[in-house]
Amino acid sequence: MTEEAQTFEGIKARLDEIVEAVGDDSLSLDSALDLYEEAIALGARATSLLEQGVLED
C-alpha cells in the first residue's frame, strides 16, 4: 500500500484524483475499471482507519 493511503487525507486526495480521471471521456473502459477497483480498495482502507479512530476514542 502506498504511503499516501496511510492517512484519511491521503486517501481522500487520491479518490479526488480518481473522480477527475473517470470524468475524462477519452479514458478507456479497462482504465476506468482499474480506477474503480482502486477506489473500492481505498474506500475499504478509509473505513478501516475511521473504525480504528472510533475504537481508540
Side-chain angles (χ1 to χ4, degrees):
M1 186 165 297
T2 67
E3 192 168 320
E4 179 180 77
Q6 298 304 314
T7 66
F8 190 81
E9 292 79 15
I11 292 169
K12 168 107 174 50
R14 180 59 185 145
L15 287 170
D16 288 341
E17 291 171 359
I18 290 171
V19 167
E20 186 174 330
V22 298
D24 183 355
D25 290 339
S26 65
L27 186 69
S28 72
L29 180 58
D30 285 337
S31 294
L33 288 173
D34 288 343
L35 289 172
Y36 172 78
E37 289 175 0
E38 181 183 354
I40 295 298
L42 287 169
R45 177 65 181 142
T47 299
S48 176
L49 288 172
L50 289 172
E51 288 174 350
Q52 287 175 3
V54 168
L55 292 176
E56 291 174 359
D57 288 340

